[in-house]
Amino acid sequence: QVQLVESGGGLVQAGGSLTLSCADSAHTFSNYAMAWFRQPPGKEREREFVAARSWNFGNTFYADSVRGRFTISRDNAKDTVYLQMSSLEPEDTGVYYCALERFGIAGRTWPEYDYWGQGTQVTVSS
């Protein structure tokens, strides 16, 4: 069974950097799509698209608000996907979730994804 485990969240000042990790403990899917979504403070029903990448089809997408500042990548040997975040802004604050789509089709909406991590908190102070 797929189990995604996230880490790397924390408190950082505006302008700083953080790298989030998402480990696929089941090592089940080799050609899948991974994405990062975030839940802003006070918006428990909302999951905002951040970035997605399909290692099956080789395409990558970013939200306009993070393009140029965030990078999604993968370490095959560790079955881990990363979200490198730089030039962080207070508006980037939220709970960040990684998600996996089994057929390698990267999408921008949360219902397209089959498995989710537990979330990791990122707080950017001004």
Side-chain angles (χ1 to χ4, degrees):
Q1 184 172 346
V2 174
Q3 191 170 17
L4 304 178
V5 180
E6 296 149 351
S7 60
L11 173 64
V12 64
Q13 288 190 329
S17 301
L18 276 177
T19 297
L20 306 182
S21 301
C22 176
D24 170 17
S25 62
H27 315 289
T28 306
F29 302 111
S30 59
N31 291 313
Y32 47 74
M34 293 292 295
W36 289 91
F37 289 80
R38 65 188 180 192
Q39 188 176 74
K43 298 184 178 180
E44 285 73 20
R45 295 182 181 272
E46 185 175 318
R47 292 203 177 179
E48 177 183 285
F49 171 74
V50 176
R53 183 166 181 171
S54 168
W55 279 271
N56 197 17
F57 296 103
N59 49 356
T60 306
F61 304 103
Y62 293 98
D64 290 343
S65 59
V66 308
R67 187 176 293 111
R69 301 188 297 122
F70 291 11
T71 302
I72 185 170
S73 62
R74 181 174 79 171
D75 184 330
N76 291 337
K78 297 181 179 180
D79 284 307
T80 299
V81 173
Y82 302 96
L83 184 68
Q84 297 169 279
M85 307 184 293
S86 62
S87 302
L88 283 162
E89 304 168 353
E91 292 74 22
D92 295 317
T93 294
V95 179
Y96 282 68
Y97 297 89
C98 66
L100 183 149
E101 195 281 341
R102 294 174 293 169
F103 301 107
I105 301 172
R108 300 171 191 256
T109 64
W110 67 266
E112 298 176 74
Y113 290 83
D114 304 297
Y115 301 97
W116 291 82
Q118 80 286 358
T120 185
Q121 177 70 46
V122 172
T123 303
V124 184
S125 63
S126 57

